Amino acid sequence: MTAEGHSKRNPHNRPIDDLVFECCRELFSDYSLDALPRGVEEFPPPERLALCGVMGFGGRQMRGALVLAATREPLEKSNPGGFGSQRDWICELANQLMGRVKNRLLAVGVEILLATPAGLSGDNLNPAPGKVRTPQVFAVESGFVCVWIDCELSEGFELLMTPSGGFEAAMPEGETVLF
Amino acid sequence: MDKKILIIDDSTTVRHQVRAALLGNGFEILEAADGVEGLSTITEHQDLAAVVCDVNMPRMGGLQMLELAKAKGLLATLPVVMLTTEGQASLVQQAKSLGAKGWIVKPFKPELLVLTMRKLTAS
């Protein structure tokens, strides 16, 4: 994490926001792209956000949805073959991001089930002020990626991202095992 | 003669990425968009060399498809590799017990996928 990264992070974020932040950077890094944190004031004009990928999830301790929105540039650069449609690709990226979040949550004893991703396009794609936390904004190539998670915790449950052992380990991303 | 591989994934992009990785490396590709289509294709194409299959898909997921394919005796000589964002150990174990031969957590590296498929179809 760079000093710039720290300074751009929302100081009021919950542990789940921080987890999504880290996972988003890792995801784009796996596609050889730097996701550089930006302040929320740099949230791109809604008309620049091409599409959203939405991933629903639910479990005993938490439920909600993750939204990944992007301008066209990061979608094109992360899929250099230009395979499929941008709508399909942002759905897949949201799926891979939420899969990564799920795998990290398993290490702290939180199990969630993932829905299949849905694509969403619109003229004004913004999180509702006051309803969800501030989106995480990243500069990726010459465009932007924004991610936010709208999440409800079960009563009395507090998410602590401190691995304490004894919980189910997950295979890391990119790994292959043969049986 | 190219070996026939079936890729089952609800993402067109992923199917095309897998196709691009394997084509030209001794493989011919068939595609299916979910477990229902996948099971039907496996049943129809007895000459498949291997299957690459996602886990979370609409209509029928990869593990359910695996269970049905196993019950029909379709997996006796057909290696299946799961390609998914899931890394949960219990799901990996479930796939193994249903007869899967491997598990890859997305995103995949094309060269590793080629090596994996070569190894599984070597006979």
Side-chain angles (χ1 to χ4, degrees), chain A residues 40 42-49 51-52 67 69 120-135 137 146-148 150:
Chain A
V40 71
E42 293 186 56
F43 193 85
E47 64 272 17
R48 280 201 67 199
L49 290 173
L51 287 164
C52 283
V67 181
L120 174 68
S121 54
D123 288 335
N124 284 286
L125 299 172
N126 269 312
K131 295 283 176 65
V132 298
R133 297 297 177 106
T134 308
V137 180
C146 303
V147 60
W148 63 93
D150 195 342

Side-chain angles (χ1 to χ4, degrees), chain A residues 27 30-31 78-80 83-85 88-89 92 95-100 102-103 106 111-117 168-179, chain B residues 9-14 16-17 20 54 56-58 81 85-93 95-96 99-109 112 116 119-120:
Chain A
L27 174 68
D30 275 355
Y31 289 100
S78 58
N79 181 22
F83 303 112
S85 67
D88 183 77
W89 184 231
E92 178 59 24
N95 182 33
Q96 291 186 16
L97 176 56
M98 197 62 221
R100 208 171 275 258
K102 173 182 175 173
N103 291 337
L106 283 168
E111 183 177 355
I112 53 173
L113 295 176
L114 306 184
T116 51
E168 191 175 11
M171 265 177 69
E173 293 76 21
E175 189 160 304
T176 300
V177 290
L178 293 180
F179 309 135
Chain B
D9 198 302
D10 55 327
S11 166
T12 319
T13 309
V14 172
H16 289 187
Q17 287 172 341
D54 192 8
N56 296 322
M57 293 181 285
V81 176
T85 62
E86 299 274 6
Q88 191 169 358
S90 57
L91 295 179
V92 177
Q93 191 54 44
K96 186 178 175 182
K101 297 297 182 207
W103 190 284
I104 301 172
V105 183
K106 294 175 182 176
F108 70 93
K109 293 182 177 65
L112 274 182
T116 302
K119 190 168 184 178
L120 287 175

Side-chain angles (χ1 to χ4, degrees), chain B:
Chain B
M1 187 168 148
D2 287 349
K3 291 172 176 168
K4 207 176 273 185
I5 307 289
L6 170 64
I7 165 71
I8 309 169
D9 198 302
D10 55 327
S11 166
T12 319
T13 309
V14 172
R15 295 201 306 271
H16 289 187
Q17 287 172 341
V18 171
R19 172 186 287 274
L22 296 179
L23 274 182
N25 285 290
F27 299 108
E28 176 188 343
I29 310 299
L30 299 181
E31 296 182 23
D34 57 43
V36 175
E37 276 186 24
L39 189 60
S40 164
T41 309
I42 291 171
T43 308
E44 286 169 19
H45 294 263
Q46 302 284 325
D47 57 343
L48 285 174
V51 176
V52 178
C53 185
D54 192 8
V55 169
N56 296 322
M57 293 181 285
R59 291 214 295 173
M60 185 192 293
L63 294 176
Q64 189 187 351
M65 189 214 73
L66 210 54
E67 192 173 3
L68 293 173
K70 186 183 181 187
K72 287 182 165 190
L74 297 170
L75 301 184
T77 57
L78 180 63
V80 179
V81 176
M82 310 310 287
L83 174 63
T84 172
T85 62
E86 299 274 6
Q88 191 169 358
S90 57
L91 295 179
V92 177
Q93 191 54 44
Q94 190 183 347
K96 186 178 175 182
S97 67
L98 289 171
K101 297 297 182 207
W103 190 284
I104 301 172
V105 183
K106 294 175 182 176
F108 70 93
K109 293 182 177 65
E111 62 277 13
L112 274 182
L113 181 66
V114 171
L115 286 175
T116 302
M117 300 319 290
R118 280 188 178 149
K119 190 168 184 178
L120 287 175
T121 60
S123 62

